[in-house]
Amino acid sequence: MAELNQLIGALNHAADVIEENKQHLTELDGAIGDGDHGINMSRGFSFVKKTLDEGGFQTPADLFKKSGMALVAHVGGASGPLFGTAFLRASMALKDKTEINSEDYISILKAAAEGIKMRGKSQAGEKTMLDALIPAYEAGETALSQGKDTQEVLQAVKAAARTGATDTEKLVAKKGRSSYLGERSLGHQDPGAASTALILGAIADYFAAL
Amino acid sequence: MAELNQLIGALNHAADVIEENKQHLTELDGAIGDGDHGINMSRGFSFVKKTLDEGGFQTPADLFKKSGMALVAHVGGASGPLFGTAFLRASMALKDKTEINSEDYISILKAAAEGIKMRGKSQAGEKTMLDALIPAYEAGETALSQGKDTQEVLQAVKAAARTGATDTEKLVAKKGRSSYLGERSLGHQDPGAASTALILGAIADYFAAL
Amino acid sequence: MKKLINQPENSLNEMLIGMAKAYPDYLTRLDNTNVLVRKNLTEQKVAVVSGGGSGHEPTHAGYIGQGMLDAAVAGDIFTSPTPDQIYEAIKAVDRGKGVLLVVKNYSGDVMNFDMAKEMAEMEGIAVEQVIVNDDVAVEDSTFTTGRRGIAGTVLIHKIAGAAAERGWDLQKVKETAEKAIKSIHSMGMALSPCIVPSAGKPNFTLAEDEVEIGTGIHGEPGTHREKIKSADEITQELFDKIQADAPIQSGDDVALMVNGMGATPLMELYIVNNKAHDLLVSLGAHIHRTFVGEFMTSIEMAGMSLTVLKLDDQLKSLLDDAADTPALKVIKK
Amino acid sequence: MKKLINQPENSLNEMLIGMAKAYPDYLTRLDNTNVLVRKNLTEQKVAVVSGGGSGHEPTHAGYIGQGMLDAAVAGDIFTSPTPDQIYEAIKAVDRGKGVLLVVKNYSGDVMNFDMAKEMAEMEGIAVEQVIVNDDVAVEDSTFTTGRRGIAGTVLIHKIAGAAAERGWDLQKVKETAEKAIKSIHSMGMALSPCIVPSAGKPNFTLAEDEVEIGTGIHGEPGTHREKIKSADEITQELFDKIQADAPIQSGDDVALMVNGMGATPLMELYIVNNKAHDLLVSLGAHIHRTFVGEFMTSIEMAGMSLTVLKLDDQLKSLLDDAADTPALKVIKK
Ligand SMILES: Nc1ncnc2c1ncn2[C@@H]1O[C@H](COP(=O)(O)OP(=O)(O)O)[C@@H](O)[C@H]1O
Ligand SMILES: Nc1ncnc2c1ncn2[C@@H]1O[C@H](COP(=O)(O)OP(=O)(O)O)[C@@H](O)[C@H]1O
Ligand SMILES: [Mg+2]
Ligand SMILES: [Mg+2]
Ligand SMILES: [Mg+2]
Ligand SMILES: [Mg+2]
């Protein structure tokens, strides 16, 4: 599926998409949180881009590790440790692989989700980024088991993440800042789920366009 | 011109007129001061009314003294010590007279003006209550020297005070809070001059209606 | 947005420099970080570190000094600081007796402090953490994020700081802070919103005759909105909510805090204090100490919060211990 | 008008009760007056009394205590107190060594304090008076009322209070305060107006992009209005006006105060402090002490004032003397 250079391209594209959606993410967070999710993500991913520009990565694992460190150090808020942990877990799952295939992609998404669960003491159905990420890797697993090709797997992940994010509107928040609203969080999309769907979508789009 | 009872009536009427003009005086003060002159005067004169109701005055001097003390203790701000001193000086000027004539009236206005000058370190032309009071007693002196009767003297005082107050619009404030505005105080009537004209007008009206 | 700032993105940095310049005897900035550290650290004591998003000044750095904090980590405005920053603070103040982190219960703060704790522990530093969750406006539940930490946190700084200054060990300092956290309850309200400089517009709106009850310190929605009432009625409403949660008994000793959110004048806080005292006294409580002022603000939000801390003899004496910080000084008699 | 009050006409009274309840160790209310008096008056010292209109909290009563005021007389909001009240304060605190009145230069305050002084002198009490007029926004002239007294007054309380606490006699306390008054200069600005509760509406209006430069502490008009600029530019503008009036020379020792008017958050005051420090340092001044916070407010006006006090050795050491009051504490090192 991808070598180091392509992974760098994919992450760069994801960072651009986050930047384009800064305002949108902030508005989502404004409705049920403190209105900074777009700002946090844009700040964090601008440092990811800086890391990507500096280059010098040994392996995909190294790439994810350094990107994850950039996220941990610059996103702040709740999403910083969560996306950071997700990237660091992805890195650990890759060990010293030099390129990754679609199976690897799904297993790093799964490892990322496990990391978020651990760090956030959270699980599916609590109206968080997990509600985009878990359906996404599950859809990927299904596609793989049906023998779909890489592009199809990536598109299945993208579509499921998007649907998962949209469906968070039907959930009552149990974790994060929006949980303070209880029932009042219904009818709003979770910003972290939205940014997760954007990132997974950007990765799929990048490889589709290669 | 007046015995104790009529003086009580006149002061009562003056207090009512101040109360009716509370808002107006406050607006004048809002333009070039701190917007409390009506509030201060209304509070002070409500205590004058209380003093008048309690009664038990020995002489006109006693009446002015107790009213002056009420003003000193309840008006506050700049106008409190000034109107208070004015009333106390009026009281001193009356000594133990049991009734007062129009000459007495003019001389207590003059004594009041002297008290204000001393207390306020002020003089004519500085855009203060003196610019209503000084022309008022001067008009009264002229009327007296022309042999006018009591009602005519009172009306002359009223008219001159009114004109004096209006003419403060043409003065640059040199004393009191409005002096901080310098030239910006031009075009506005001095609130203390306005209240002085109201009081002297109310006294004239009271005796005219007897 | 009408503010005394320069470029919004420089506000945090300029504020930290401005604080360091204001209090050179108390604190100093750790190079290349948003960490302010106590000058003349007391050797041989547990260090107490707190932090969180900025915009709550004087919280947190205002409480650096004798008997309170050894370091404060400033995040961006209303955004938790990152683990690397917290880690730098821990390293800077550890004197070999360990470090207590006082964290407000927000997912972001908890997770970032958690990661920093892990990083410090990997370096062999003993770190413990307490989570302040005094806001009774939010439902208490172990299945959710639970209650927010608000103004009561300042009194936890005071108590943990005094315990550390006495030379107690990390475990005892932590247990004492946890005891105080169990006994502290707060509830706030807002009259008007606040503006995060980089956002440039208010984070919520209220009608001219409306107040929000139960607001957090970032303008998070509260329990409900209502028509504005008298200060006495609003104080009663907040107090009842606290009382429903943690009933005051006759004879209880308490500390009371009336905290201003930023734009509400002291005059109004004293009027609220007048009523809050009456309510406590009518229940038979003894008010050991009263704090009225701006302790944990929400930029320029108008509003206030009430905090009631039940005291045993130990907590009383820790509150009475000397403290010498820019924003809170207790002079021992 | 959105305020945490009950009946507007009760605000002053409820505020005073609320203060007395908050600080029982520091002050007590004189029966049937609006006077707050220091608990445990130091015997055998000159008493220092201040006061003025309310709405400037923590001024004046917040400065009652060791090393500052012995009594504070509260007038109605933005209205000078009356002579009878001031007289009661003087009588309550005189210990036979005389009383110094610290008065802000407003016609009303000056005349009411004058009358009270006359009343006390008739009773044989030695009374002296100093008039603070630090506001360089107003032209200085002996033919007019002259300059207003604003936030610098708090530092005069500190200095006069320290001098009295040292046991100096009335004449020396007065002369020291007068020396400090000659060396203190302030200038303020407003971002938004304030509302006197009994008036119910703002005392002036400013457009969304407008600020008023040179405003007094009652929302009195300043020197001019202008489009809002950066914090650095506004600080520079106020500072230049102070500097034009009382130039700082290289090597001068100064105290700097950045005072918040009520609604302006501490964050912004620190940003201003950052710039003000730079300006002083660039002139070669040595900043002996910095005060950042709300010392003399204008109810809930947004804005700030700068105060620069030039110090000789005597004033430095008086500023450094211990003070223990609700709103200002100096712990002697
Ligand atoms: N415990 C948690 N587990 C998983 N995701 C969480 C948790 N807490 C918060 N989140 C995610 O973080 C997002 C908010 O991120 P952000 O706004 O950047 O941080 P903050 O809430 O601190 O302002 C939420 O929309 C949610 O998806
Ligand atoms: N030194 C003075 N001499 C004479 N009158 C004065 C002096 N200072 C102020 N005044 C009068 O007082 C009036 C203001 O009174 P008021 O608003 O009640 O007090 P304050 O200015 O303290 O709010 C002015 O309009 C002016 O007429
Ligand atoms: Mg957020
Ligand atoms: Mg006035
Ligand atoms: Mg946030
Ligand atoms: Mg006034």
Side-chain angles (χ1 to χ4, degrees), chain D residues 18-84:
Chain D
M19 288 193 87
K21 285 177 180 166
Y23 311 119
D25 297 344
Y26 287 91
L27 47 84
T28 178
R29 185 169 180 180
L30 217 58
D31 286 344
N32 302 316
T33 71
N34 294 335
V35 178
L36 295 174
V37 175
R38 180 172 166 192
K39 271 266 179 76
N40 312 318
L41 287 165
T42 312
E43 293 297 326
Q44 299 306 329
K45 78 167 199 53
V46 168
V48 182
V49 172
S50 190
S54 294
H56 307 298
E57 293 66 35
T59 294
H60 299 81
Y63 302 111
I64 293 177
Q66 186 210 344
M68 291 186 80
L69 304 181
D70 296 288
V73 195
D76 259 298
I77 293 161
F78 288 0
T79 304
S80 163
T82 55
D84 51 314

Side-chain angles (χ1 to χ4, degrees), chain B residues 36 77 119 174-176 180 184, chain D residues 105 107 112 118 144-145 222:
Chain B
D36 63 357
R119 178 64 61 208
K174 295 251 183 289
K175 290 284 148 68
Y180 303 133
R184 289 213 258 166
Chain D
N105 191 32
S107 315
N112 283 293
E118 289 166 17
T144 65
T145 307

Side-chain angles (χ1 to χ4, degrees), chain C residues 2 4, chain D residues 189-194 261-264 298 300-304:
Chain C
K2 227 177 189 180
L4 288 169
Chain D
M189 56 79 58
L191 294 158
S192 75
C194 57
M261 291 296 187
T264 288
S298 202
E300 76 282 69
M301 191 161 97
M304 59 94 183

Side-chain angles (χ1 to χ4, degrees), chain A residues 34 36 40 177, chain C residues 78-79:
Chain A
D34 59 351
D36 63 358
N40 294 345
R177 210 175 279 283
Chain C
F78 288 179
T79 302

Side-chain angles (χ1 to χ4, degrees), chain A residues 36 73 77 119 174 176 180 184, chain C residues 79 105 107 112 118 144-146 222:
Chain A
D36 63 358
R119 178 64 62 207
K174 296 251 183 291
Y180 304 134
R184 290 213 258 166
Chain C
T79 302
N105 191 32
S107 316
N112 283 293
E118 289 166 17
T144 66
T145 308

Side-chain angles (χ1 to χ4, degrees), chain B:
Chain B
M1 165 184 159
E3 303 169 359
L4 201 45
N5 266 347
Q6 290 164 338
L7 288 173
I8 292 174
L11 287 185
N12 245 317
H13 183 55
D16 292 340
V17 169
I18 289 293
E19 182 59 33
E20 281 158 26
N21 287 276
K22 176 175 174 179
Q23 188 65 29
H24 169 60
L25 293 171
T26 292
E27 275 160 21
L28 290 179
D29 197 31
I32 53 171
D34 59 350
D36 63 357
H37 186 61
I39 301 167
N40 294 344
M41 293 295 283
S42 133
R43 182 178 52 240
F45 273 91
S46 76
F47 280 93
V48 169
K49 276 187 90 92
K50 225 170 126 183
T51 306
L52 298 176
D53 287 351
E54 280 163 10
F57 306 108
Q58 309 296 316
T59 54
D62 189 34
L63 171 69
F64 279 102
K65 183 174 171 206
K66 285 178 176 149
S67 301
M69 296 295 277
L71 291 173
V72 165
H74 297 290
V75 176
S79 49
L82 292 169
F83 278 112
T85 301
F87 271 62
L88 295 176
R89 288 297 179 98
S91 164
M92 283 159 68
L94 286 173
K95 304 219 178 84
D96 40 16
K97 292 213 163 75
T98 52
E99 50 181 276
I100 72 172
N101 59 26
S102 52
E103 277 88 7
D104 296 329
Y105 183 54
I106 300 307
S107 55
I108 67 179
L109 292 186
K110 209 168 162 176
E114 291 308 317
I116 291 171
K117 286 184 198 170
M118 179 280 300
R119 178 64 61 208
K121 302 190 174 58
S122 45
Q123 56 188 44
E126 296 182 328
K127 196 179 183 114
T128 71
M129 48 180 70
L130 287 174
D131 296 309
L133 185 54
I134 293 173
Y137 79 70
E138 286 176 352
E141 281 173 338
T142 308
L144 284 175
S145 72
Q146 292 166 347
K148 300 280 170 69
D149 71 14
T150 298
Q151 294 298 346
E152 286 167 327
V153 171
L154 287 169
Q155 290 302 324
V157 165
K158 171 180 173 174
R162 180 64 267 151
T163 311
T166 307
D167 286 353
T168 59
E169 289 181 8
K170 300 175 205 151
L171 299 173
V172 173
K174 295 251 183 289
K175 290 284 148 68
R177 209 175 281 281
S178 48
S179 70
Y180 303 133
L181 275 91
E183 300 282 326
R184 289 213 258 166
S185 64
L186 274 174
H188 297 280
Q189 190 175 154
D190 177 64
S195 57
T196 302
L198 286 172
I199 294 167
L200 298 179
I203 293 172
D205 292 348
Y206 176 82
F207 285 104
L210 272 189

